Amino acid sequence: SLNVEPGNGNNIFGVSDAAQTFFNMGFLGAVITTILGSITWQLVASAFPLAFLSNPLVYVFLRICLFLEATGIASGAWVLAGLHKRVAGFQRDEVYIGTAEEREAKDLGDSKEVEHALAKLPGFTSMPEALVKLMSQDPSVKEFVRSMSANNIDINVADLQEHVKDLQLQNEEKV
């Protein structure tokens, strides 16, 4: 690393003291390393892809890089998730919902049976017990859940298509 004291008149290339302070920060080295170490090779690879990839050494490095990428070890999402966890104060699931044994003791155990139409929707594996209880107490909730079922989707789509046709006819009549 280069560290020339600004103001002594010994600045590199005779630059000003402010420019010498900038050079001392090391950003110039990072830019040069990025250009020579990364971008240059990307340009060569994009200009001559067959010649670049036919080099056996490049093939070995490519396979190593693809392996490391597949492990997820260099994924930026892990860093963002770690930061988000610290900022938001997230804890393990057991803190919020309890262990499997605690849930079963409270009669909130995991169920593998699919009993309701809502479970047929994408992303739903089982219906929450609280919703099942609410459906048994309130018929309007039960009707709403049934309207969301996979069997009624075709009916709802057909109703929407008829409504769109009616609106198009009304617009044509106005014109």
Side-chain angles (χ1 to χ4, degrees), residues 117-118 127 131 135 140-149:
L118 187 62
M127 188 176 294
L131 183 57
M135 285 173 50
S140 65
V141 173
K142 188 173 185 177
E143 182 58 34
F144 174 75
V145 171
R146 282 197 178 143
S147 73
M148 298 294 290
S149 73

Side-chain angles (χ1 to χ4, degrees), residues 30-99:
V31 170
I32 290 172
T33 302
T34 301
I35 291 171
L36 294 179
S38 178
I39 297 172
T40 304
W41 296 109
Q42 290 178 15
L43 292 173
V44 169
S46 67
F48 309 104
L50 291 177
F52 189 79
L53 290 175
S54 65
N55 184 337
L57 186 62
V58 171
Y59 180 76
V60 170
F61 281 134
L62 177 65
R63 298 301 275 180
I64 291 169
C65 291
L66 289 174
F67 171 75
L68 288 175
E69 180 68 27
T71 64
I73 199 168
S75 180
W78 290 105
V79 176
L80 295 176
L83 290 173
H84 190 214
K85 179 181 176 183
R86 286 189 180 153
V87 169
F90 291 143
Q91 299 177 8
R92 296 186 56 83
D93 286 346
E94 287 79 11
V95 174
Y96 301 109
I97 61 172
T99 63

